[in-house]
Amino acid sequence: MYSAAGPGPASPFYWNAEVRPGLRVAFTSAAAGNLALHVGDDAEGVHENRRRLEDSMGVAAGALRFMSQTHSDRVAIVDGSAGSGHGTGASPAPHADAMVSRTGTHPLAVLVADCVPIVLADASVTEGGTGATAVVHAGRAGVANGIVAHAARTLRRSGARDLTAWIGPSVCGSCYEVPEDLMRSVAAALPEAASRTRAGTAALDLPAAVRRQLGDAGVGVGHVAGAGPACTLENPALFSHRRAPGAGRIAGLVWRT
């Protein structure tokens, strides 16, 4: 079992907080191990990392739901079946880049290693709302094709009334170097995405673009202050595809206690 220490070198979490009574949001660090089946470790090692993470979260083994992420605009609705974490007897991971639990009772995970992980929750459960939750994987393609707004719309169609989002670690606008024409293309629709590296070359600020999209969708953004820089490339305690391709993926998590 993981150490009970707070975020830091001995913790599997970059940030972990009870954001509402009975609702927790967290983002893991590399200390949680690689949580993705498509990179790095063998499958059994990943399953063991997931089991240990569930134990640290205090949720049932196999309860944590994962997606098969494809940089799409697809949103999956989680049903009442078993979790998708460990294979035997579990429902398959949906091919999607956002996942919604309409009741908020399913622990959800999104995996990243430079893309932007987003957790959303309906805060109005005590005022007639649903308590619905969601996780979103927003890479460059996802930001461009509107996955953030699509997830928010899906939550609202499910009855959510008062949405808040938490944005986890990702590559920052000073580190995400891209070709000039690509930066200009994305910035044509989202000016906040335009950025420059410290060397002055073209870059994308995906966290800023995500904040703009959440604001346009009427979603407030909660505070996240984790252990060290929020840039995955700059923080060695986080996985970064740009720094070490295939090394692993961190997770954004939401669950009820």
PDB file of all heavy atoms in Angstrom, residues 9-33:
ATOM      1  N   PRO A   9       7.560  13.518  -2.677  1.00  0.00           N
ATOM      2  CA  PRO A   9       8.331  12.375  -3.168  1.00  0.00           C
ATOM      3  C   PRO A   9       7.807  11.023  -2.707  1.00  0.00           C
ATOM      4  O   PRO A   9       7.965  10.031  -3.413  1.00  0.00           O
ATOM      5  CB  PRO A   9       9.733  12.647  -2.609  1.00  0.00           C
ATOM      6  CG  PRO A   9       9.786  14.116  -2.394  1.00  0.00           C
ATOM      7  CD  PRO A   9       8.398  14.508  -1.988  1.00  0.00           C
ATOM      8  N   ALA A  10       7.196  10.938  -1.505  1.00  0.00           N
ATOM      9  CA  ALA A  10       6.737   9.662  -0.988  1.00  0.00           C
ATOM     10  C   ALA A  10       5.295   9.349  -1.367  1.00  0.00           C
ATOM     11  O   ALA A  10       4.771   8.309  -0.997  1.00  0.00           O
ATOM     12  CB  ALA A  10       6.867   9.637   0.542  1.00  0.00           C
ATOM     13  N   SER A  11       4.641  10.234  -2.100  1.00  0.00           N
ATOM     14  CA  SER A  11       3.224  10.085  -2.413  1.00  0.00           C
ATOM     15  C   SER A  11       3.018   9.693  -3.865  1.00  0.00           C
ATOM     16  O   SER A  11       3.769  10.137  -4.741  1.00  0.00           O
ATOM     17  CB  SER A  11       2.482  11.396  -2.127  1.00  0.00           C
ATOM     18  OG  SER A  11       1.153  11.340  -2.605  1.00  0.00           O
ATOM     19  N   PRO A  12       1.989   8.899  -4.166  1.00  0.00           N
ATOM     20  CA  PRO A  12       1.658   8.612  -5.565  1.00  0.00           C
ATOM     21  C   PRO A  12       0.933   9.768  -6.231  1.00  0.00           C
ATOM     22  O   PRO A  12       0.628   9.697  -7.409  1.00  0.00           O
ATOM     23  CB  PRO A  12       0.745   7.393  -5.460  1.00  0.00           C
ATOM     24  CG  PRO A  12       0.054   7.570  -4.143  1.00  0.00           C
ATOM     25  CD  PRO A  12       1.104   8.170  -3.237  1.00  0.00           C
ATOM     26  N   PHE A  13       0.640  10.836  -5.468  1.00  0.00           N
ATOM     27  CA  PHE A  13      -0.160  11.931  -5.990  1.00  0.00           C
ATOM     28  C   PHE A  13       0.650  13.212  -6.177  1.00  0.00           C
ATOM     29  O   PHE A  13       1.429  13.614  -5.313  1.00  0.00           O
ATOM     30  CB  PHE A  13      -1.337  12.232  -5.055  1.00  0.00           C
ATOM     31  CG  PHE A  13      -2.295  11.086  -4.915  1.00  0.00           C
ATOM     32  CD1 PHE A  13      -2.382  10.389  -3.725  1.00  0.00           C
ATOM     33  CD2 PHE A  13      -3.087  10.696  -5.982  1.00  0.00           C
ATOM     34  CE1 PHE A  13      -3.260   9.323  -3.593  1.00  0.00           C
ATOM     35  CE2 PHE A  13      -3.970   9.632  -5.859  1.00  0.00           C
ATOM     36  CZ  PHE A  13      -4.060   8.939  -4.668  1.00  0.00           C
ATOM     37  N   TYR A  14       0.431  13.859  -7.300  1.00  0.00           N
ATOM     38  CA  TYR A  14       0.910  15.226  -7.506  1.00  0.00           C
ATOM     39  C   TYR A  14       0.029  16.191  -6.712  1.00  0.00           C
ATOM     40  O   TYR A  14       0.510  17.163  -6.131  1.00  0.00           O
ATOM     41  CB  TYR A  14       0.843  15.553  -9.007  1.00  0.00           C
ATOM     42  CG  TYR A  14       1.038  17.014  -9.328  1.00  0.00           C
ATOM     43  CD1 TYR A  14       2.317  17.568  -9.386  1.00  0.00           C
ATOM     44  CD2 TYR A  14      -0.052  17.843  -9.587  1.00  0.00           C
ATOM     45  CE1 TYR A  14       2.498  18.912  -9.687  1.00  0.00           C
ATOM     46  CE2 TYR A  14       0.116  19.181  -9.889  1.00  0.00           C
ATOM     47  CZ  TYR A  14       1.395  19.714  -9.938  1.00  0.00           C
ATOM     48  OH  TYR A  14       1.568  21.041 -10.231  1.00  0.00           O
ATOM     49  N   TRP A  15      -1.280  15.895  -6.683  1.00  0.00           N
ATOM     50  CA  TRP A  15      -2.269  16.699  -5.951  1.00  0.00           C
ATOM     51  C   TRP A  15      -3.448  15.799  -5.645  1.00  0.00           C
ATOM     52  O   TRP A  15      -3.829  14.956  -6.459  1.00  0.00           O
ATOM     53  CB  TRP A  15      -2.707  17.885  -6.806  1.00  0.00           C
ATOM     54  CG  TRP A  15      -3.700  18.823  -6.165  1.00  0.00           C
ATOM     55  CD1 TRP A  15      -3.436  19.796  -5.253  1.00  0.00           C
ATOM     56  CD2 TRP A  15      -5.111  18.889  -6.419  1.00  0.00           C
ATOM     57  NE1 TRP A  15      -4.599  20.469  -4.914  1.00  0.00           N
ATOM     58  CE2 TRP A  15      -5.637  19.931  -5.625  1.00  0.00           C
ATOM     59  CE3 TRP A  15      -5.986  18.175  -7.239  1.00  0.00           C
ATOM     60  CZ2 TRP A  15      -6.989  20.277  -5.621  1.00  0.00           C
ATOM     61  CZ3 TRP A  15      -7.332  18.505  -7.244  1.00  0.00           C
ATOM     62  CH2 TRP A  15      -7.821  19.547  -6.441  1.00  0.00           C
ATOM     63  N   ASN A  16      -4.035  15.962  -4.452  1.00  0.00           N
ATOM     64  CA  ASN A  16      -5.140  15.101  -4.025  1.00  0.00           C
ATOM     65  C   ASN A  16      -5.950  15.880  -2.996  1.00  0.00           C
ATOM     66  O   ASN A  16      -5.411  16.282  -1.964  1.00  0.00           O
ATOM     67  CB  ASN A  16      -4.595  13.805  -3.424  1.00  0.00           C
ATOM     68  CG  ASN A  16      -5.691  12.863  -2.947  1.00  0.00           C
ATOM     69  OD1 ASN A  16      -6.873  13.088  -3.193  1.00  0.00           O
ATOM     70  ND2 ASN A  16      -5.287  11.796  -2.278  1.00  0.00           N
ATOM     71  N   ALA A  17      -7.228  16.122  -3.263  1.00  0.00           N
ATOM     72  CA  ALA A  17      -8.019  16.958  -2.354  1.00  0.00           C
ATOM     73  C   ALA A  17      -9.483  16.550  -2.364  1.00  0.00           C
ATOM     74  O   ALA A  17     -10.005  16.076  -3.384  1.00  0.00           O
ATOM     75  CB  ALA A  17      -7.895  18.427  -2.737  1.00  0.00           C
ATOM     76  N   GLU A  18     -10.137  16.758  -1.231  1.00  0.00           N
ATOM     77  CA  GLU A  18     -11.591  16.636  -1.161  1.00  0.00           C
ATOM     78  C   GLU A  18     -12.161  17.980  -1.608  1.00  0.00           C
ATOM     79  O   GLU A  18     -12.155  18.954  -0.855  1.00  0.00           O
ATOM     80  CB  GLU A  18     -12.052  16.289   0.252  1.00  0.00           C
ATOM     81  CG  GLU A  18     -13.553  16.030   0.323  1.00  0.00           C
ATOM     82  CD  GLU A  18     -14.008  15.586   1.707  1.00  0.00           C
ATOM     83  OE1 GLU A  18     -13.579  16.217   2.697  1.00  0.00           O
ATOM     84  OE2 GLU A  18     -14.784  14.607   1.790  1.00  0.00           O
ATOM     85  N   VAL A  19     -12.650  18.038  -2.833  1.00  0.00           N
ATOM     86  CA  VAL A  19     -13.062  19.311  -3.417  1.00  0.00           C
ATOM     87  C   VAL A  19     -14.506  19.675  -3.056  1.00  0.00           C
ATOM     88  O   VAL A  19     -14.905  20.844  -3.158  1.00  0.00           O
ATOM     89  CB  VAL A  19     -12.898  19.282  -4.948  1.00  0.00           C
ATOM     90  CG1 VAL A  19     -11.420  19.133  -5.317  1.00  0.00           C
ATOM     91  CG2 VAL A  19     -13.720  18.164  -5.573  1.00  0.00           C
ATOM     92  N   ARG A  20     -15.280  18.683  -2.698  1.00  0.00           N
ATOM     93  CA  ARG A  20     -16.632  18.847  -2.199  1.00  0.00           C
ATOM     94  C   ARG A  20     -16.820  17.776  -1.131  1.00  0.00           C
ATOM     95  O   ARG A  20     -16.110  16.762  -1.146  1.00  0.00           O
ATOM     96  CB  ARG A  20     -17.679  18.638  -3.306  1.00  0.00           C
ATOM     97  CG  ARG A  20     -17.579  19.584  -4.484  1.00  0.00           C
ATOM     98  CD  ARG A  20     -18.093  20.971  -4.149  1.00  0.00           C
ATOM     99  NE  ARG A  20     -18.136  21.823  -5.325  1.00  0.00           N
ATOM    100  CZ  ARG A  20     -17.128  22.557  -5.760  1.00  0.00           C
ATOM    101  NH1 ARG A  20     -15.979  22.547  -5.096  1.00  0.00           N
ATOM    102  NH2 ARG A  20     -17.239  23.318  -6.842  1.00  0.00           N
ATOM    103  N   PRO A  21     -17.762  17.935  -0.212  1.00  0.00           N
ATOM    104  CA  PRO A  21     -17.976  16.865   0.773  1.00  0.00           C
ATOM    105  C   PRO A  21     -18.226  15.525   0.085  1.00  0.00           C
ATOM    106  O   PRO A  21     -19.148  15.388  -0.729  1.00  0.00           O
ATOM    107  CB  PRO A  21     -19.209  17.343   1.535  1.00  0.00           C
ATOM    108  CG  PRO A  21     -19.162  18.829   1.433  1.00  0.00           C
ATOM    109  CD  PRO A  21     -18.629  19.104   0.042  1.00  0.00           C
ATOM    110  N   GLY A  22     -17.349  14.576   0.361  1.00  0.00           N
ATOM    111  CA  GLY A  22     -17.494  13.241  -0.215  1.00  0.00           C
ATOM    112  C   GLY A  22     -17.032  13.097  -1.647  1.00  0.00           C
ATOM    113  O   GLY A  22     -17.228  12.040  -2.253  1.00  0.00           O
ATOM    114  N   LEU A  23     -16.382  14.132  -2.208  1.00  0.00           N
ATOM    115  CA  LEU A  23     -15.904  14.071  -3.590  1.00  0.00           C
ATOM    116  C   LEU A  23     -14.427  14.422  -3.621  1.00  0.00           C
ATOM    117  O   LEU A  23     -14.016  15.485  -3.151  1.00  0.00           O
ATOM    118  CB  LEU A  23     -16.674  15.050  -4.472  1.00  0.00           C
ATOM    119  CG  LEU A  23     -16.201  15.135  -5.929  1.00  0.00           C
ATOM    120  CD1 LEU A  23     -16.521  13.844  -6.681  1.00  0.00           C
ATOM    121  CD2 LEU A  23     -16.840  16.334  -6.632  1.00  0.00           C
ATOM    122  N   ARG A  24     -13.614  13.525  -4.197  1.00  0.00           N
ATOM    123  CA  ARG A  24     -12.178  13.765  -4.286  1.00  0.00           C
ATOM    124  C   ARG A  24     -11.746  13.857  -5.748  1.00  0.00           C
ATOM    125  O   ARG A  24     -12.249  13.132  -6.622  1.00  0.00           O
ATOM    126  CB  ARG A  24     -11.388  12.659  -3.587  1.00  0.00           C
ATOM    127  CG  ARG A  24     -11.650  12.554  -2.102  1.00  0.00           C
ATOM    128  CD  ARG A  24     -10.541  11.786  -1.389  1.00  0.00           C
ATOM    129  NE  ARG A  24      -9.330  12.582  -1.277  1.00  0.00           N
ATOM    130  CZ  ARG A  24      -9.080  13.405  -0.244  1.00  0.00           C
ATOM    131  NH1 ARG A  24      -9.947  13.549   0.741  1.00  0.00           N
ATOM    132  NH2 ARG A  24      -7.937  14.081  -0.207  1.00  0.00           N
ATOM    133  N   VAL A  25     -10.790  14.736  -5.973  1.00  0.00           N
ATOM    134  CA  VAL A  25     -10.122  14.880  -7.261  1.00  0.00           C
ATOM    135  C   VAL A  25      -8.627  14.771  -7.014  1.00  0.00           C
ATOM    136  O   VAL A  25      -8.110  15.323  -6.029  1.00  0.00           O
ATOM    137  CB  VAL A  25     -10.457  16.234  -7.915  1.00  0.00           C
ATOM    138  CG1 VAL A  25      -9.605  16.453  -9.168  1.00  0.00           C
ATOM    139  CG2 VAL A  25     -11.940  16.315  -8.266  1.00  0.00           C
ATOM    140  N   ALA A  26      -7.929  14.053  -7.876  1.00  0.00           N
ATOM    141  CA  ALA A  26      -6.485  13.885  -7.707  1.00  0.00           C
ATOM    142  C   ALA A  26      -5.818  13.759  -9.067  1.00  0.00           C
ATOM    143  O   ALA A  26      -6.455  13.392 -10.067  1.00  0.00           O
ATOM    144  CB  ALA A  26      -6.175  12.658  -6.856  1.00  0.00           C
ATOM    145  N   PHE A  27      -4.528  14.065  -9.078  1.00  0.00           N
ATOM    146  CA  PHE A  27      -3.671  13.819 -10.235  1.00  0.00           C
ATOM    147  C   PHE A  27      -2.444  13.093  -9.714  1.00  0.00           C
ATOM    148  O   PHE A  27      -1.836  13.518  -8.725  1.00  0.00           O
ATOM    149  CB  PHE A  27      -3.294  15.128 -10.920  1.00  0.00           C
ATOM    150  CG  PHE A  27      -4.487  15.869 -11.457  1.00  0.00           C
ATOM    151  CD1 PHE A  27      -5.080  16.872 -10.707  1.00  0.00           C
ATOM    152  CD2 PHE A  27      -5.037  15.543 -12.686  1.00  0.00           C
ATOM    153  CE1 PHE A  27      -6.191  17.548 -11.182  1.00  0.00           C
ATOM    154  CE2 PHE A  27      -6.156  16.207 -13.168  1.00  0.00           C
ATOM    155  CZ  PHE A  27      -6.737  17.210 -12.417  1.00  0.00           C
ATOM    156  N   THR A  28      -2.090  11.997 -10.333  1.00  0.00           N
ATOM    157  CA  THR A  28      -0.980  11.191  -9.833  1.00  0.00           C
ATOM    158  C   THR A  28       0.357  11.770 -10.281  1.00  0.00           C
ATOM    159  O   THR A  28       0.443  12.595 -11.190  1.00  0.00           O
ATOM    160  CB  THR A  28      -1.071   9.733 -10.309  1.00  0.00           C
ATOM    161  OG1 THR A  28      -0.914   9.685 -11.737  1.00  0.00           O
ATOM    162  CG2 THR A  28      -2.391   9.103  -9.908  1.00  0.00           C
ATOM    163  N   SER A  29       1.407  11.307  -9.622  1.00  0.00           N
ATOM    164  CA  SER A  29       2.778  11.590 -10.032  1.00  0.00           C
ATOM    165  C   SER A  29       3.385  10.304 -10.591  1.00  0.00           C
ATOM    166  O   SER A  29       2.750   9.242 -10.580  1.00  0.00           O
ATOM    167  CB  SER A  29       3.595  12.079  -8.833  1.00  0.00           C
ATOM    168  OG  SER A  29       3.801  11.017  -7.914  1.00  0.00           O
ATOM    169  N   ALA A  30       4.617  10.392 -11.042  1.00  0.00           N
ATOM    170  CA  ALA A  30       5.293   9.199 -11.545  1.00  0.00           C
ATOM    171  C   ALA A  30       5.497   8.158 -10.455  1.00  0.00           C
ATOM    172  O   ALA A  30       5.702   6.978 -10.744  1.00  0.00           O
ATOM    173  CB  ALA A  30       6.629   9.580 -12.177  1.00  0.00           C
ATOM    174  N   ALA A  31       5.419   8.576  -9.175  1.00  0.00           N
ATOM    175  CA  ALA A  31       5.569   7.625  -8.071  1.00  0.00           C
ATOM    176  C   ALA A  31       4.455   6.589  -8.045  1.00  0.00           C
ATOM    177  O   ALA A  31       4.613   5.522  -7.444  1.00  0.00           O
ATOM    178  CB  ALA A  31       5.614   8.373  -6.739  1.00  0.00           C
ATOM    179  N   ALA A  32       3.330   6.870  -8.702  1.00  0.00           N
ATOM    180  CA  ALA A  32       2.251   5.881  -8.800  1.00  0.00           C
ATOM    181  C   ALA A  32       2.575   4.797  -9.817  1.00  0.00           C
ATOM    182  O   ALA A  32       1.853   3.797  -9.900  1.00  0.00           O
ATOM    183  CB  ALA A  32       0.937   6.571  -9.175  1.00  0.00           C
ATOM    184  N   GLY A  33       3.634   4.984 -10.590  1.00  0.00           N
ATOM    185  CA  GLY A  33       3.979   4.029 -11.633  1.00  0.00           C
ATOM    186  C   GLY A  33       3.223   4.320 -12.918  1.00  0.00           C
ATOM    187  O   GLY A  33       2.290   5.136 -12.960  1.00  0.00           O
TER     188      GLY A  33
END
